[in-house]
Amino acid sequence: MKTKKIAAVLLTCIMAIGLTAGCGASNTNQSASNNDSHSTSTNQSGNEESDTNSENTTDTTGNGKTLVVYYSASGNTKDVAEKIAKITEADLFEIEPVEPYTDDDLDWTDDDSRVSREHDDESLRDVELVSTTVDNWDSYDTVYIGYPIWWGIAAWPVDNFVKENDFTGKTVIPFCTAATSGIGDSGNLLEEMTGTGDWKEGERFHGGASESDISSWIDSLGL
């Protein structure tokens, strides 16, 4: 009888130990499952944050602003520049020589006039400007550059402005005014002076060009 009781007690103990072990394993597995779930949630959140940061650090250049830079000797180029600025909602910057050109200076038929002497002696074409600095220059993506044609090239007061500025990342569009001459290589020569920027083919306008003609040209650029 005692033997049966002892056996029964041992059997009960063995069953109790088995149940306890089973519960411990179940709790351990559940804890591991919860940890995996937390880890997955954390990684997912981390990926979302990484994606967000990636979007926030997307590289952008400029903000679509347009600038019209011009030198005007007699007012014709200024007129075209102002019309371009109106159509494109651009800012304006006038290139101004420290010593402005008078009507006599601009008399190309006089061999002794200022422009004639500068044409004959390139060393005299280093025209000092009031300023070559444009406020917020880096904010402009597109720059129109206008000038009269002198002896088949851009009027040289423009040269120092081009040389003093970095056009990297900008679309540059030359335009000129002339009674008979075309734009020729004037834009290409200016591009060579600066060595930066994406220069496009330019356009020649007669004095008093209409706003509709200028607008049609701007539309043709596909900017």
Side-chain angles (χ1 to χ4, degrees), residues 71-190:
Y71 168 68
S72 188
S74 61
N76 289 330
T77 306
K78 179 180 180 181
D79 177 65
V80 174
E82 290 177 341
K83 288 174 180 174
I84 292 174
K86 177 183 177 182
I87 295 166
T88 61
E89 298 182 349
D91 295 330
L92 278 167
F93 181 88
E94 182 177 6
I95 296 172
E96 300 177 89
V98 169
E99 184 183 347
Y101 286 79
T102 66
D103 289 341
D104 288 339
D105 290 336
L106 295 170
D107 185 2
W108 58 271
T109 64
D110 179 359
D111 291 339
D112 196 40
S113 70
R114 179 180 174 183
V115 290
S116 293
R117 285 184 280 107
E118 290 172 345
H119 169 261
D120 294 339
D121 184 353
E122 291 188 22
S123 67
L124 299 177
R125 300 182 194 176
D126 186 16
V127 179
E128 184 181 0
L129 303 177
V130 172
S131 175
T132 59
T133 302
V134 178
D135 292 339
N136 303 312
W137 172 253
D138 290 340
S139 69
Y140 295 102
D141 290 339
T142 304
V143 179
Y144 291 84
I145 296 185
Y147 45 83
I149 291 290
W150 288 356
W151 282 275
I153 61 176
W156 35 89
V158 176
D159 295 354
N160 278 341
F161 177 88
V162 168
K163 292 175 182 177
E164 293 295 322
N165 285 283
D166 183 0
F167 292 83
T168 299
K170 302 184 188 302
T171 298
V172 189
I173 306 153
F175 67 94
C176 71
T177 56
T180 56
S181 302
I183 195 166
D185 287 331
S186 60
N188 296 331
L189 293 173
L190 292 176

Side-chain angles (χ1 to χ4, degrees), residues 34-71:
N34 288 340
N35 286 339
D36 287 344
S37 175
H38 175 71
S39 176
T40 301
S41 175
T42 302
N43 290 338
Q44 190 173 26
S45 174
N47 288 338
E48 289 174 359
E49 182 177 355
S50 176
D51 291 343
T52 301
N53 290 339
S54 176
E55 289 175 5
N56 289 340
T57 56
T58 299
D59 183 32
T60 56
T61 56
N63 54 13
K65 292 180 67 176
T66 300
L67 176 70
V68 180
V69 177
Y70 71 93
Y71 168 68

